Amino acid sequence: MDKILSVIVPAYNSEDYIERCLSPFVRADAETRKKLEIIIVNDGSTDGTEKMVESYVEKYPYMFKLCNKENGGHGSAVNTGIANATGLYFKVVDSDDWVDEGALEKILSVLHELVEKQTLIDMLVSNYVYEKVGAKHKKVIHYRNVMPQDRIITWKE
């Protein structure tokens, strides 16, 4: 297994915004890109979503994979992505969302370090940014008040 993280991107008629979702993965550093698998599940789109995703698959076949299926809804698309994933861990990023390259690199660094130490975890919790389309401000959702930071905790804790 060479991929540490499989990112599942369920997509339905996402032509207008999926590029914003996929482009940060391409901009990540080379070491991060080697550890990533991005699986875009085209859930029966009738717009240009499939063609847009195919351009990423052609340019970066080592990182992007396209799965086409009949429309079955978000959960069905996520399940299809998981069924095709080869990474040790997975994350879902909806096609109208995106990731920060710096945060992605940090998460992959932590996961890589854990794999090197042969320490498996059930879940990795990270902050995220909430931004409404057209809004003037972003809101960072932090977990520091409810979870210890930079520390592995067990189910007993």
Side-chain angles (χ1 to χ4, degrees):
M1 175 208 44
D2 61 330
K3 300 298 183 177
I4 294 175
L5 182 63
S6 295
V7 178
I8 314 301
V9 181
Y12 177 73
N13 289 345
S14 306
E15 175 184 26
D16 292 341
Y17 42 80
I18 196 163
E19 190 162 13
R20 185 172 186 187
C21 175
L22 301 180
S23 62
F25 298 111
V26 174
R27 291 191 306 261
D29 68 53
E31 283 304 307
T32 297
R33 290 193 313 261
K34 285 184 204 174
K35 300 170 192 166
L36 278 175
E37 168 183 61
I38 315 302
I39 302 169
I40 303 94
V41 181
N42 179 29
D43 192 32
S45 296
T46 57
D47 65 356
T49 298
E50 181 179 0
K51 187 172 182 165
M52 177 106 30
V53 172
E54 283 174 346
S55 70
Y56 279 84
V57 173
E58 287 173 18
K59 289 179 192 170
Y60 311 97
Y62 63 93
M63 187 167 60
F64 290 94
K65 184 188 304 184
L66 172 63
C67 296
N68 287 306
K69 61 180 278 314
E70 288 185 23
N71 183 263
H74 187 270
S76 172
V78 170
N79 287 336
T80 296
I82 291 170
N84 286 278
T86 63
L88 181 60
Y89 298 101
F90 80 92
K91 174 174 182 43
V92 176
V93 176
D94 291 334
S95 62
D96 59 347
D97 292 336
W98 63 96
V99 298
D100 173 79
E101 297 101 276
L104 178 66
E105 289 168 9
K106 183 176 180 181
I107 286 169
L108 262 293
S109 174
V110 168
L111 291 176
H112 180 74
E113 186 177 314
L114 291 169
V115 169
E116 290 293 309
K117 293 179 181 177
Q118 296 184 341
T119 302
L120 296 178
I121 59 172
D122 293 317
M123 178 173 54
L124 177 71
V125 178
S126 65
N127 299 332
Y128 67 94
V129 177
Y130 177 76
E131 176 183 14
K132 286 186 178 181
V133 175
K136 294 180 182 178
H137 303 286
K138 300 176 186 178
K139 181 177 182 181
V140 178
I141 308 301
H142 295 278
Y143 293 100
R144 63 179 169 243
N145 296 332
V146 294
M147 308 238 0
Q149 289 189 1
D150 301 322
R151 191 175 136 235
I152 294 176
I153 60 172
T154 66
W155 287 109
K156 292 177 189 174
E157 293 177 89

